[in-house]
Amino acid sequence: MRVPMTWLREYVDLPADVTARDLASRLTLAGLEVETVDALGADLQGPLVLGRVLEIEELTEFKKPIRFCRVDVGAANGTGEPQEIVCGARNFSEGDLIVAVLPGAELPGGFKIGARKTYGRMSAGMICSATELGLWEDHTGIVVLPEGFGEPGQDAIGLLGLREDVLDIAVTPDRGYALSMRGVARDAATLYGVDLHDPAGIAVAEPTGEGHPARIEDPALADRLVLRGATGFDPEAPTPLWMKRRLHQSGVRPVSLAVDVTNYVMLELGQPLHAWDRDRLQGTVTVRAAEAGEKLETLDHVQRSLDTDDIVIADDAGAQAVAGVMGGLDTEIGLSSTAVLVEAAHFDQMHIARASRRHQLSSEASRRFERGVDSAVQAAAATRAVELLAELGGASVESAWTHVTHPAADRTITMRASHPGSVAGVEYPEGTAEKHLRAIGCTVERDGEVLTVTPPTWRPDLTDPNDLAEEVIRFEGYENIPAVRLSGPGRGLTDSQRLRRVFGRMLADTGHTEVLSYPFVGERDLEGLQLGADDPRRDSVRLANPLNDEEPLLRTTLLPGLFKTLARNVSRGLNDVALFETGLVYLPSHNGNAPILTVDRGPTAEEIERVDAALPHQPRRVGVVLAGRAERDGWWGQGREATWADAIQAARDVARVAGVGLEVEAAEHTPWHPGRCAALYVRVGGERVLAGHAGELHPRAIQAFGLPARTAAAEVDLDVVESARAEVRAPEISTYPVATQDVALVVDAGVPVGALSDALAEGAGDLLESVRLFDVYTGEQVGEGRKSVAFALRFRAPDRTLTAEEAGAARDAAVAVAAERTGASLRG
Amino acid sequence: MSAPNSSYDPVEVTPLHPDEVARMRDEALSAIEAAGDLDELKEVRLAHASDRSPLALANREIGALPPAAKADAGKRVGGARRDVGQALKARQAVLENERDERVLVEERVDVTLPWDRTPRGARHPLTTVAERMTDVFVGMGFEVAEGPEVEAEWFNFDALNFEPDHPARTMQDTFFVESGEGGDSGMVMRTHTSPVQVRALLERELPVYVVAPGKTFRTDELDATHTPVFHQLEGLVVDRGITLAHLRGAIDAFVGAVFGEGLRTRFRASYFPFTEPSAEVDMECFVCRGASVGDPDAPCRTCSSEGWIEIGGCGVVNPRVLRAAGVDPEQYSGWAFGLGIERTLMFAHGVRDMRDMVEGDIRFSSAFGSEI
């Protein structure tokens, strides 16, 4: 809502020294957020004066006709002699009153005016168009002022109102009343404690008889319809300058007098109006629901298929307007209309909101109706409009007019007088609530501590005691609410929340950089991952309105986002990249749609369960992707490339910080390299549960995402890892000496080291403290298809120093199990 | 060892003769003095102070002396051995010092050489800022509540008093989930963290003091100031006798902890369906502290010379929300707030372009390290 200050001051007795900025900051604190204060014409500098065209000499030797004018500018040019000005416009005659800007002046946009030679003549200034003056958009020629507007030489800046401060207010959805000068004026008057002159308070004479026939088919669609006629209207009558200027300053394009008047009254009172060409209307005006299959071509030349939920204004020929949204083309007021029927109605908010959304049509009217229009202002608004048509367009106002009403009962709210104070945490003086509620138009009755409040017809948003509390608090000043510290009974983060922080810290400390990629993916990503036709990861949640039609799905794996981010880094010359992301993936539950529950009471456990069952399963994952060097080259020597092993180690580290052991096993799982992929398992209550995969990526996936060769990745389900956590019991620390035994075992090359290590650990028994692989050898000495694997075993007893025999026996037992399980033999 | 012999003349036992003891001692002392390095001293120690040294051997003879002579001889030999021991220790210290001065200097390295063999990683600053913001409230006795990102419309809108056709609902630029079986799925990507309010009230015992940091989604194209995926920190208190003054206190504590003590805050009346009354929260610009307002010569980029920075929205929990969550609004009241995590990061650390937080360029996060 754009509010010119001089217009507003017509309705509020604001002190003269209150500037637009002062008012803006008060309104903003009170809930009408002034986004900007436009100081129109602030950069305008005179001399800018009225002038009378004395003589026009047509210059014909140029490509376009040019006029050399002598203009009377009174004494404004210092000499009193006529001013000589070259002008390219042709819409004026000798004797016309125009606006001339003289040398030394500056027009909006830093346009400096001087005397200069043009078209072979000296031109000392310029005759101005409305656009050049910032009045309104008009490229058809210069401004010709009506006779009697003023005298040559008079300053035009003041006369034309070229300097104006305009407040631009972002109106919240609850404050429909503030989409009018009247509503803003009321808040301003309340804030400053000054008088309000309500523009809706005009005298409206009772109708002298029936006006145009009309009816409302269903009171649920509209509860008031007013039609007022004006005849003998001059369709060529111009809109006066002041009205055009105000419309332009308010952001509304001037069109024609009849349309401008309806817009002007809408800005003034907040009531959208429609001006019908009465001669084109056939029979009774009916407010009804659109019929199935009904069509209407609206003012914007769009043929619209109406919905049976749309409200229409119809005549006997059919729908003529989508009520509260946009008028129809057929009955539009035209350049020949002399009989005007002004319609003012109060339509149901929700119907208009739905229609506006359905037709993707947000108009000045729909914005107001869906936020709530005064349900009693229609007669005043229609009357104001026809009176303006009479005054400015020579029409006669018909004294018989139509008023159809189905008034709703008054709503009352009861509230304790102290309620606003107890919401704010401030003790307001006795009578505070009544004072402010009355100022905004409420009727307030007090019975002891209880107030019975009837909100005014223009405040449909006031329905609950807290709405009233807000009104009281905002006029008492939100800024005056004190700050009081409080503290809750919380017991800190949960184990799970603390653990999640640790995952991230650990990965960052081991060289990985966290990214937060978008969860949107497309078919192409799933193809890039080389997923099979029935891979469960293809089963995705789909968005009805994705930002990008190529990416309508939600991720079922973190990998695509990580791959793209990795590729972006590489494209920026960052070649050694290790990334990680923790976030949710979305796995459809296929349990139907989520029901919309009631809001009158809390839901039952069963209801919540039904809602939650419909939601996708959303486990938390961590993904890691690595490319380039894991260790750099340097003065210490060669670095090394990141490999499949780094990816698996990242997964092991994730489990380790959770205190969970990870079982690693070879697996084939896209998008990983089939020979370099590990499946990762944890034990949950004795059961082995898949927690994720890690390894080097498949060359085809690498190609699809444009990744560096040998890029490695891991993805682990953190919820699964967390579920495998067990309470840590303190170990008993033996202070007896350690006995170390190294064994080198020869096995088939295909035997996984993990299996060998597990077998040794199991065979070694309780005395084993640790088993660690320290060498893998393949070569001639062990023979084709074989490998030698060397482990360091450490033995220790809790209660004694182990003898060499005891340690040896434990080692032999370990080797025996390894031999039995894997066919291993002791080397050499 | 010889047995005691009462008729034995100590003078006759050559090694215990005073001159002989003095000679052994002097010999040892001069050998110690002559030792040129620690290896030589080690040899001298073996020759003159070990179990097989002449003085040690002489000492053994004392046991064979008559009792009357033992004390005298013991004192003599013991004194000599002590002298040798002390000289050894002194010489050892001298030689070690000499060695240290020479060898350790030779072993000097260039400690400014880099050792960045393994690249450093970093957490995303949005993660660490969110944790920091969360911890301010955890310190005030709040717990952390959570909820799903793909959320039921009922939680995201209806329970929060967004009426089905109210403009406020369409203003949210919602991502809707397509139904797998026709009709409306009844699911959206949550447009704010506020549905966690309702979940917290349903899951927890009263009173409830929680914050909920998390991802939120709206259909905004990515540009310098918008991103379709962003983060909020929701706060909710529901208890008896809760007022806007407590809300202001909590917000002030947050601003003080994250942006610096002494910054003023202000509430501006506003509108959210789930709070009534509602307010926007501004804090004083921490860069210019209002000095740039109306001073065209010193514009402030942080607050656009407004003097205030909007950091979030808040208000008294609408009693309709309490009712939908099964809480009796006659007994309990509360407030809620939503703070922008991106905004907090942008302001607190001067991030100028939203895209920097989104694109995952490792140079961006690396600048922040593991903790903010």
mmCIF file of all heavy atoms in Angstrom, chain A residues 200-224:
data_model
loop_
_atom_site.group_PDB
_atom_site.id
_atom_site.type_symbol
_atom_site.label_atom_id
_atom_site.label_comp_id
_atom_site.label_asym_id
_atom_site.label_seq_id
_atom_site.Cartn_x
_atom_site.Cartn_y
_atom_site.Cartn_z
ATOM 1 N N ALA A 200 -15.089 7.592 5.107
ATOM 2 C CA ALA A 200 -16.310 6.816 4.869
ATOM 3 C C ALA A 200 -17.504 7.453 5.572
ATOM 4 O O ALA A 200 -18.638 6.998 5.404
ATOM 5 C CB ALA A 200 -16.121 5.387 5.360
ATOM 6 N N GLY A 201 -17.224 8.495 6.333
ATOM 7 C CA GLY A 201 -18.301 9.096 7.110
ATOM 8 C C GLY A 201 -19.130 10.102 6.316
ATOM 9 O O GLY A 201 -19.623 11.070 6.869
ATOM 10 N N ILE A 202 -19.275 9.892 5.028
ATOM 11 C CA ILE A 202 -20.061 10.831 4.217
ATOM 12 C C ILE A 202 -21.548 10.525 4.372
ATOM 13 O O ILE A 202 -21.935 9.412 4.748
ATOM 14 C CB ILE A 202 -19.685 10.740 2.712
ATOM 15 C CG1 ILE A 202 -19.887 9.311 2.194
ATOM 16 C CG2 ILE A 202 -18.258 11.207 2.484
ATOM 17 C CD1 ILE A 202 -19.810 9.196 0.689
ATOM 18 N N ALA A 203 -22.357 11.527 4.079
ATOM 19 C CA ALA A 203 -23.808 11.340 4.182
ATOM 20 C C ALA A 203 -24.294 10.488 3.019
ATOM 21 O O ALA A 203 -23.951 10.749 1.874
ATOM 22 C CB ALA A 203 -24.499 12.706 4.148
ATOM 23 N N VAL A 204 -25.019 9.436 3.352
ATOM 24 C CA VAL A 204 -25.582 8.583 2.298
ATOM 25 C C VAL A 204 -27.101 8.606 2.477
ATOM 26 O O VAL A 204 -27.630 8.072 3.450
ATOM 27 C CB VAL A 204 -25.079 7.136 2.411
ATOM 28 C CG1 VAL A 204 -25.695 6.266 1.318
ATOM 29 C CG2 VAL A 204 -23.555 7.086 2.341
ATOM 30 N N ALA A 205 -27.777 9.264 1.531
ATOM 31 C CA ALA A 205 -29.241 9.355 1.637
ATOM 32 C C ALA A 205 -29.855 7.994 1.346
ATOM 33 O O ALA A 205 -29.355 7.245 0.505
ATOM 34 C CB ALA A 205 -29.768 10.399 0.663
ATOM 35 N N GLU A 206 -30.907 7.685 2.070
ATOM 36 C CA GLU A 206 -31.625 6.427 1.824
ATOM 37 C C GLU A 206 -32.109 6.386 0.379
ATOM 38 O O GLU A 206 -32.432 7.424 -0.193
ATOM 39 C CB GLU A 206 -32.845 6.333 2.762
ATOM 40 C CG GLU A 206 -32.463 6.055 4.209
ATOM 41 C CD GLU A 206 -31.773 4.727 4.396
ATOM 42 O OE1 GLU A 206 -32.278 3.706 3.877
ATOM 43 O OE2 GLU A 206 -30.697 4.703 5.029
ATOM 44 N N PRO A 207 -32.175 5.227 -0.228
ATOM 45 C CA PRO A 207 -32.674 5.153 -1.598
ATOM 46 C C PRO A 207 -34.130 5.614 -1.672
ATOM 47 O O PRO A 207 -34.912 5.365 -0.753
ATOM 48 C CB PRO A 207 -32.523 3.680 -1.979
ATOM 49 C CG PRO A 207 -32.271 2.938 -0.714
ATOM 50 C CD PRO A 207 -31.749 3.914 0.291
ATOM 51 N N THR A 208 -34.446 6.272 -2.754
ATOM 52 C CA THR A 208 -35.823 6.737 -2.926
ATOM 53 C C THR A 208 -36.665 5.684 -3.616
ATOM 54 O O THR A 208 -37.853 5.851 -3.825
ATOM 55 C CB THR A 208 -35.842 8.018 -3.782
ATOM 56 O OG1 THR A 208 -35.186 7.736 -5.024
ATOM 57 C CG2 THR A 208 -35.119 9.147 -3.076
ATOM 58 N N GLY A 209 -36.058 4.602 -4.017
ATOM 59 C CA GLY A 209 -36.811 3.518 -4.641
ATOM 60 C C GLY A 209 -35.868 2.421 -5.063
ATOM 61 O O GLY A 209 -34.669 2.466 -4.746
ATOM 62 N N GLU A 210 -36.391 1.429 -5.752
ATOM 63 C CA GLU A 210 -35.592 0.302 -6.208
ATOM 64 C C GLU A 210 -34.638 0.759 -7.311
ATOM 65 O O GLU A 210 -35.030 1.428 -8.245
ATOM 66 C CB GLU A 210 -36.514 -0.800 -6.768
ATOM 67 C CG GLU A 210 -37.186 -1.615 -5.679
ATOM 68 C CD GLU A 210 -36.195 -2.378 -4.840
ATOM 69 O OE1 GLU A 210 -35.316 -3.057 -5.422
ATOM 70 O OE2 GLU A 210 -36.260 -2.301 -3.588
ATOM 71 N N GLY A 211 -33.411 0.362 -7.200
ATOM 72 C CA GLY A 211 -32.468 0.638 -8.265
ATOM 73 C C GLY A 211 -32.457 -0.514 -9.240
ATOM 74 O O GLY A 211 -33.458 -1.231 -9.401
ATOM 75 N N HIS A 212 -31.293 -0.735 -9.837
ATOM 76 C CA HIS A 212 -31.141 -1.822 -10.796
ATOM 77 C C HIS A 212 -31.463 -3.147 -10.097
ATOM 78 O O HIS A 212 -31.024 -3.376 -8.976
ATOM 79 C CB HIS A 212 -29.709 -1.832 -11.323
ATOM 80 C CG HIS A 212 -29.534 -2.702 -12.526
ATOM 81 N ND1 HIS A 212 -29.620 -2.217 -13.814
ATOM 82 C CD2 HIS A 212 -29.313 -4.033 -12.632
ATOM 83 C CE1 HIS A 212 -29.435 -3.209 -14.660
ATOM 84 N NE2 HIS A 212 -29.246 -4.323 -13.967
ATOM 85 N N PRO A 213 -32.269 -4.025 -10.746
ATOM 86 C CA PRO A 213 -32.627 -5.285 -10.072
ATOM 87 C C PRO A 213 -31.382 -6.135 -9.779
ATOM 88 O O PRO A 213 -30.497 -6.262 -10.634
ATOM 89 C CB PRO A 213 -33.549 -5.973 -11.074
ATOM 90 C CG PRO A 213 -33.267 -5.328 -12.389
ATOM 91 C CD PRO A 213 -32.848 -3.924 -12.090
ATOM 92 N N ALA A 214 -31.342 -6.697 -8.574
ATOM 93 C CA ALA A 214 -30.162 -7.476 -8.178
ATOM 94 C C ALA A 214 -30.541 -8.472 -7.111
ATOM 95 O O ALA A 214 -31.523 -8.294 -6.390
ATOM 96 C CB ALA A 214 -29.077 -6.544 -7.655
ATOM 97 N N ARG A 215 -29.784 -9.544 -7.020
ATOM 98 C CA ARG A 215 -29.996 -10.487 -5.917
ATOM 99 C C ARG A 215 -28.709 -11.261 -5.622
ATOM 100 O O ARG A 215 -27.813 -11.375 -6.465
ATOM 101 C CB ARG A 215 -31.134 -11.451 -6.240
ATOM 102 C CG ARG A 215 -30.851 -12.410 -7.351
ATOM 103 C CD ARG A 215 -32.125 -13.110 -7.803
ATOM 104 N NE ARG A 215 -31.802 -14.107 -8.801
ATOM 105 C CZ ARG A 215 -31.602 -15.389 -8.539
ATOM 106 N NH1 ARG A 215 -31.706 -15.837 -7.296
ATOM 107 N NH2 ARG A 215 -31.285 -16.240 -9.499
ATOM 108 N N ILE A 216 -28.636 -11.744 -4.400
ATOM 109 C CA ILE A 216 -27.532 -12.617 -3.989
ATOM 110 C C ILE A 216 -28.127 -14.009 -3.847
ATOM 111 O O ILE A 216 -29.067 -14.208 -3.073
ATOM 112 C CB ILE A 216 -26.924 -12.155 -2.643
ATOM 113 C CG1 ILE A 216 -26.293 -10.763 -2.799
ATOM 114 C CG2 ILE A 216 -25.904 -13.158 -2.147
ATOM 115 C CD1 ILE A 216 -25.843 -10.145 -1.488
ATOM 116 N N GLU A 217 -27.617 -14.947 -4.630
ATOM 117 C CA GLU A 217 -28.217 -16.268 -4.636
ATOM 118 C C GLU A 217 -27.939 -17.027 -3.347
ATOM 119 O O GLU A 217 -28.751 -17.781 -2.860
ATOM 120 C CB GLU A 217 -27.686 -17.062 -5.831
ATOM 121 C CG GLU A 217 -28.714 -17.964 -6.450
ATOM 122 C CD GLU A 217 -28.257 -18.475 -7.797
ATOM 123 O OE1 GLU A 217 -27.256 -19.222 -7.820
ATOM 124 O OE2 GLU A 217 -28.888 -18.124 -8.816
ATOM 125 N N ASP A 218 -26.743 -16.841 -2.787
ATOM 126 C CA ASP A 218 -26.356 -17.592 -1.589
ATOM 127 C C ASP A 218 -25.602 -16.648 -0.651
ATOM 128 O O ASP A 218 -24.538 -16.135 -1.010
ATOM 129 C CB ASP A 218 -25.454 -18.766 -2.020
ATOM 130 C CG ASP A 218 -24.969 -19.581 -0.827
ATOM 131 O OD1 ASP A 218 -25.283 -19.201 0.327
ATOM 132 O OD2 ASP A 218 -24.265 -20.575 -1.054
ATOM 133 N N PRO A 219 -26.158 -16.385 0.541
ATOM 134 C CA PRO A 219 -25.502 -15.450 1.467
ATOM 135 C C PRO A 219 -24.102 -15.898 1.872
ATOM 136 O O PRO A 219 -23.315 -15.094 2.373
ATOM 137 C CB PRO A 219 -26.426 -15.440 2.687
ATOM 138 C CG PRO A 219 -27.720 -16.017 2.208
ATOM 139 C CD PRO A 219 -27.414 -16.926 1.070
ATOM 140 N N ALA A 220 -23.769 -17.174 1.643
ATOM 141 C CA ALA A 220 -22.424 -17.638 1.988
ATOM 142 C C ALA A 220 -21.398 -17.086 0.997
ATOM 143 O O ALA A 220 -20.195 -17.117 1.251
ATOM 144 C CB ALA A 220 -22.360 -19.167 1.983
ATOM 145 N N LEU A 221 -21.869 -16.592 -0.153
ATOM 146 C CA LEU A 221 -20.944 -16.058 -1.153
ATOM 147 C C LEU A 221 -20.688 -14.574 -0.951
ATOM 148 O O LEU A 221 -19.598 -14.078 -1.183
ATOM 149 C CB LEU A 221 -21.504 -16.279 -2.567
ATOM 150 C CG LEU A 221 -21.843 -17.711 -2.947
ATOM 151 C CD1 LEU A 221 -22.427 -17.743 -4.355
ATOM 152 C CD2 LEU A 221 -20.610 -18.600 -2.861
ATOM 153 N N ALA A 222 -21.745 -13.855 -0.541
ATOM 154 C CA ALA A 222 -21.633 -12.415 -0.339
ATOM 155 C C ALA A 222 -22.736 -12.007 0.618
ATOM 156 O O ALA A 222 -23.822 -12.581 0.577
ATOM 157 C CB ALA A 222 -21.791 -11.669 -1.662
ATOM 158 N N ASP A 223 -22.455 -11.046 1.504
ATOM 159 C CA ASP A 223 -23.512 -10.651 2.427
ATOM 160 C C ASP A 223 -23.983 -9.217 2.181
ATOM 161 O O ASP A 223 -24.835 -8.716 2.908
ATOM 162 C CB ASP A 223 -23.094 -10.857 3.886
ATOM 163 C CG ASP A 223 -21.825 -10.132 4.241
ATOM 164 O OD1 ASP A 223 -21.419 -9.237 3.474
ATOM 165 O OD2 ASP A 223 -21.227 -10.471 5.285
ATOM 166 N N ARG A 224 -23.420 -8.564 1.159
ATOM 167 C CA ARG A 224 -23.913 -7.224 0.855
ATOM 168 C C ARG A 224 -23.598 -6.891 -0.602
ATOM 169 O O ARG A 224 -22.514 -7.195 -1.092
ATOM 170 C CB ARG A 224 -23.279 -6.188 1.786
ATOM 171 C CG ARG A 224 -23.990 -4.852 1.793
ATOM 172 C CD ARG A 224 -23.242 -3.815 2.633
ATOM 173 N NE ARG A 224 -23.160 -4.172 4.057
ATOM 174 C CZ ARG A 224 -24.107 -3.890 4.955
ATOM 175 N NH1 ARG A 224 -25.201 -3.265 4.580
ATOM 176 N NH2 ARG A 224 -23.939 -4.230 6.222
#
